[in-house]
Amino acid sequence: MNKKIGMIIVITALCSVAITACSSKESIVQESGLSKAMSVAIAYKKQELEAVPPNHSNEVTLEDITKKEALIKPLTTKTFFEIQSASRTYARALRVARIKNNELKVTYISFTEKSVTEESIELTYTGTLRFGDSKEDKLFLDGTMTLLREDDVWKVNNDIYNSEDILSIIEAQILNGLSESE
């Protein structure tokens, strides 16, 4: 009887160790996936929003936009990239850099996991986009980004943030240009 109890205790202990090891391994794999996804998210936001003013003219050229898009494309799903490219989203930072005649730099960005599965990760984020040295020369970013795993690589599939703040800088310049020409 003592041998049976001893065997049951040993088997229970071994099963417990195996279960703990499996769940730890799954946790490590999930954390590794999350870490990789966050690296892609950071790289994407920097590529999207950082820019220097064009040094060749007073306009943003198609070549400038094409160079920026070439850096962004590998970080996104095909569908998301095509939608953003068609709406000229990736040209916005270049235009603001020209308008402000200053470099745009993401100086702070922090991501928090909202939901994580093996195939998708949703992150919320806050950050700061600077375009000068004074207190007023910055925008605060607040958004939600979704990444999908494609061929074991994380790619941005959606990014919703307060982009209207960036658009307002561009629109103000357009309105100023129109009022000056009247």
Side-chain angles (χ1 to χ4, degrees):
M1 181 85 169
N2 269 346
K3 278 187 173 183
K4 286 183 181 181
I5 292 174
M7 287 299 283
I8 290 173
I9 291 172
V10 168
I11 291 171
T12 304
L14 288 174
C15 287
S16 175
V17 168
I19 290 170
T20 302
C22 288
S23 66
S24 293
K25 183 178 179 184
E26 184 178 308
S27 176
I28 289 169
V29 168
Q30 262 191 340
E31 286 177 20
S32 172
L34 181 61
S35 174
K36 288 178 182 177
M38 283 189 182
S39 292
V40 170
I42 290 168
Y44 172 77
K45 287 313 292 183
K46 286 185 175 225
Q47 289 299 334
E48 176 197 7
L49 296 176
E50 291 188 301
V52 295
N55 58 6
H56 44 74
S57 70
N58 208 15
E59 66 181 50
V60 175
T61 67
L62 183 57
E63 182 182 352
D64 294 330
I65 297 167
T66 303
K67 284 179 185 177
K68 187 168 203 50
E69 287 182 346
L71 296 170
I72 293 171
K73 191 173 185 176
L75 301 171
T76 64
T77 61
K78 182 180 180 191
T79 302
F80 180 69
F81 176 79
E82 288 173 355
I83 291 168
Q84 298 302 90
S85 178
S87 67
R88 298 288 188 214
T89 298
Y90 301 129
R92 292 176 186 165
L94 295 166
R95 287 196 171 100
V96 171
R98 185 192 62 74
I99 291 166
K100 295 294 186 179
N101 198 28
N102 212 321
E103 179 179 1
L104 271 67
K105 191 93 174 138
V106 176
T107 57
Y108 166 82
I109 194 156
S110 175
F111 288 89
T112 305
E113 65 184 270
K114 189 171 179 184
S115 78
V116 178
T117 69
E118 286 186 28
E119 298 303 317
S120 71
I121 293 179
E122 187 175 4
L123 304 169
T124 58
Y125 63 90
T126 57
T128 304
L129 177 64
R130 297 219 38 106
F131 45 87
D133 296 326
S134 73
K135 282 184 174 182
E136 296 80 32
D137 293 339
K138 64 183 171 187
L139 295 175
F140 295 104
L141 306 170
D142 185 26
T144 301
M145 185 182 297
T146 304
L147 294 97
L148 298 179
R149 189 190 323 238
E150 288 185 350
D151 300 323
D152 211 33
V153 176
W154 289 103
K155 295 193 174 202
V156 177
N157 189 55
N158 198 12
D159 183 21
I160 300 170
Y161 68 102
N162 56 318
S163 60
E164 62 276 356
D165 293 342
I166 294 170
L167 286 172
S168 67
I169 294 170
I170 297 168
E171 289 171 357
Q173 178 65 22
I174 292 169
L175 291 174
N176 283 342
L178 289 176
S179 67
E180 288 174 6
S181 65
E182 291 176 7

